């Protein structure tokens, strides 16, 4: 397509805006479900669609190659007549005209459009944040830069952010021989997500590996010489030497395109359980979508790998006019040193829940359940495997549980 060309409505097909796992999954599902019309993916990064979990895990550590990033091989797109416009941003969305304006000056008509625009790192204006050596972490380019810097070890790395991504990067950087100091606003890392007791399990493993925690604290100033970072002054008055500073303080959904188009925005693009937005023929999925979940009857936005897959499939089916509902239980996983963890459930419901543990926190082999008003709303297994199906079934059922049986490793989950 030349920059001067303007496709006609007769060319309209399915347009997917975004270059992540959601986009790839939706395109694949469209073809699997028999759609033979035009499918176009608009990806603003100079990459075919890729998935993000390996970026802070195996790919960053050098244990996985670039193939681990690809949900579909590069050859799949031409073989299935799917056009991928890499390095191209969607600049406008006109639901009335059913068109998408692109950064290359062209206009793309659509029959249905899927917004899979994802999320972007939250930026905090720390003094010195623009110094050379200060990074955020979200993209393949970010991971490649960190891999090059971490490999060989010997660097002082300051991590600002004590959530999942911050802890994963801290673990990988440490394993590669770097000295890591991590700060965050929590007393215990990960406590916002899983509470102090369980967060301590992860923190202790990091401490054993040599990670220094400065908690609770943030950056008062990122300091440098000749434009390059040299240290971080914390809000607690500690000066941390720094060759590399990584700011990982969460993400914000990329809603600008949807907002300018007049779609309903509430903590992301508000969608039904079928991922339909407030505009006809416009759908949203993945990190950016705030979807009504039929299990809880509340809106929820999930920033994790499993949701990208599940919502990509549902969106594609909905775009084809099929009956499809996003009712999967949210799921994610993490790997930190020798700790492997899987989590399913609704984090928003865990704040006032009782935590029930089966197994041993001391041995770091356990399953934790969050029980609210007698019902399991989330579950997490650490170094114990093949229990996720049972955890998800408990959550989906909504049935009242016996917490004594829940804590008993000898009682099968299906019998609770």
């Amino acid at each position: 397509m030349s920059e001067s060309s303007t496709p006609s409505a007769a060319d309209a097909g399915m347009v997917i805006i975004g270059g992540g796992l959601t986009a790839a999954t939706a395109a694949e599902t469209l073809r699997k479900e028999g759609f033979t019309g035009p499918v176009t993916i608009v990806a603003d990064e100079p990459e075919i669609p890729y998935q993000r979990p390996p970026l802070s895990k195996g790919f960053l550590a050098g244990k996985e190659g670039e193939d681990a990033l690809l949900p579909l091989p590069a050859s799949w797109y031409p073989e299935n007549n799917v056009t991928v416009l890499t390095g191209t941003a969607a600049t406008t969305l006109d639901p009335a005209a059913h068109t998408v304006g692109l950064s290359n000056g062209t206009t793309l008509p659509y029959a249905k459009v899927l917004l899979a625009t994802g999320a972007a790192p939250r930026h905090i204006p720390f003094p010195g944040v623009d110094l050379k050596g200060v990074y955020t972490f979200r993209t393949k380019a970010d991971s490649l830069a960190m891999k090059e810097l971490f490999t060989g070890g010997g660097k002082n790395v300051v991590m600002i952010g004590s959530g999942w991504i911050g802890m994963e990067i801290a673990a990988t950087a440490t394993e590669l021989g770097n000295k890591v100091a991590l700060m965050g606003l929590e007393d215990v890392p990960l406590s916002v997500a899983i509470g102090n007791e369980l967060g301590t399990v992860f923190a202790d493993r990091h401490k054993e590996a040599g990670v220094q925690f400065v908690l609770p604290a943030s950056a008062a100033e990122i300091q440098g010489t000749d434009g390059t970072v040299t240290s971080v002054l914390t809000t607690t008055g500690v000066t941390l030497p720094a060759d590399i500073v990584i700011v990982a303080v969460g993400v914000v959904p990329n809603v600008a395109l949807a907002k300018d188009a007049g779609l309903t925005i509430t903590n992301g693009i508000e969608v039904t359980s079928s991922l339909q937005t407030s505009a006809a023929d416009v759908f949203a999925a993945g990190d950016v979508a705030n979807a009504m979940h039929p299990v809880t009857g509340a809106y929820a936005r999930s920033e994790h790998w499993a949701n990208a897959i599940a919502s990509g499939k549902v969106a594609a089916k909905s775009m084809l006019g099929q009956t499809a509902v996003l009712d999967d239980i949210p799921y994610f996983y993490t790997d930190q040193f020798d700790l492997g963890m899987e989590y399913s459930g609704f984090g928003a419901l865990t704040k006032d829940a009782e935590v029930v543990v089966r197994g041993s926190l001391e041995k770091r082999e356990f399953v934790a359940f969050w029980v609210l008003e007698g019902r399991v709303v989330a579950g997490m297994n650490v170094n114990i495997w093949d229990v996720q199906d049972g955890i998800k079934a408990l959550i989906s059922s909504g049935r009242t549980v016996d917490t004594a049986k829940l804590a008993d490793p000898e009682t099968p989950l299906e019998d609770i």
Side-chain angles (χ1 to χ4, degrees), residues 2 32 36 46 88 95 99 102 149 154 159-160 192 212 225-226 229 265 277 324 361 366 369 377 381:
S2 69
K32 282 185 174 179
T36 58
T88 304
T99 58
L102 304 180
L149 292 168
M159 173 65 59
I160 303 174
V192 169
Q212 175 188 359
T225 301
D226 297 328
V229 66
I265 308 296
T277 73
L361 297 182
F366 62 90
F369 303 91
V377 295
N381 50 292

Side-chain angles (χ1 to χ4, degrees), residues 50-384:
Y50 66 90
Q51 58 184 349
R52 300 186 189 279
L55 295 180
S56 57
K57 301 180 179 72
F59 182 72
L60 180 62
K63 299 174 182 177
E64 296 177 311
E66 296 206 13
D67 286 351
L69 302 179
L70 300 180
L72 297 170
S75 60
W76 183 89
Y77 301 95
E79 288 172 357
N80 289 274
N81 196 27
V82 172
T83 300
V84 182
L85 303 178
T86 58
T88 304
T91 55
T92 60
L93 171 66
D94 188 335
H98 277 55
T99 58
V100 175
L102 304 180
S103 58
N104 62 13
T106 62
T107 300
L108 194 60
Y110 66 82
K112 306 283 176 66
V113 63
L114 172 61
L115 302 179
T117 49
R122 178 176 284 109
H123 288 276
I124 298 179
F126 299 115
V129 74
D130 295 325
L131 288 169
K132 182 180 178 181
V134 180
Y135 300 86
T136 55
F137 194 97
R138 179 69 179 174
T139 66
K140 177 183 174 182
D142 295 334
S143 187
L144 284 169
M146 289 302 99
K147 181 190 291 190
E148 182 176 353
L149 292 168
F150 289 165
T151 300
K155 303 289 198 313
N156 288 309
V157 180
V158 175
M159 173 65 59
I160 303 174
S162 55
W164 295 112
I165 295 297
M167 292 286 278
E168 287 177 359
I169 299 171
T172 300
T174 301
E175 288 182 317
L176 291 174
N178 301 283
K179 184 177 181 181
V180 178
L182 186 149
M183 68 179 76
L185 298 179
E186 307 167 286
D187 292 314
V188 176
L190 303 174
S191 61
V192 169
I194 58 175
N196 285 354
E197 183 180 32
L198 300 177
T200 297
V201 174
F202 289 87
D204 286 348
R205 181 64 186 88
H206 278 249
K207 289 174 183 177
E208 289 172 9
V211 176
Q212 175 188 359
F213 288 99
V214 185
L215 300 168
S218 187
E221 182 183 4
I222 302 174
Q223 301 169 326
T225 301
D226 297 328
T228 299
V229 66
T230 57
S231 60
V232 176
L233 174 64
T234 75
T235 50
T236 54
V238 177
T239 298
L240 302 170
D243 301 304
I244 303 164
V245 175
I246 304 172
V247 182
V249 290
V251 296
V252 292
N254 290 323
V255 299
L257 188 70
K259 185 176 181 180
D260 289 346
L263 305 187
T264 301
I265 308 296
T266 54
N267 182 32
I269 303 171
E270 187 175 297
V271 292
T272 66
S273 58
S274 297
L275 305 186
Q276 168 71 54
T277 73
S278 56
D281 300 328
V282 180
F283 299 78
D287 293 3
V288 77
N290 188 21
M292 171 59 67
H293 201 289
V295 171
T296 62
Y299 287 96
R301 189 172 65 81
S302 176
E303 299 168 355
H304 298 296
W305 167 84
N307 178 63
I309 295 173
S311 64
K313 291 178 180 179
V314 169
K317 292 177 180 180
S318 294
M319 292 165 77
L320 294 174
Q322 301 178 16
T323 299
V325 171
L326 183 63
D327 57 4
D328 285 44
I329 303 300
Y331 165 92
F332 70 95
Y333 68 98
T334 188
D335 296 306
Q336 299 172 33
F337 301 110
D338 53 3
L339 294 179
M341 183 279 279
E342 298 176 290
Y343 178 108
S344 289
F346 300 94
L349 300 180
T350 63
K351 181 180 178 182
D352 298 318
E354 175 189 359
V355 179
V356 177
V357 175
R358 68 162 58 191
S360 171
L361 297 182
E362 292 73 23
K363 293 181 180 179
R364 298 170 183 156
E365 295 179 356
F366 62 90
V367 183
F369 303 91
W370 283 263
V371 181
L372 181 66
E373 297 176 354
R375 296 173 173 84
V376 176
V377 295
M380 176 180 83
N381 50 292
V382 174
N383 288 353
I384 289 178

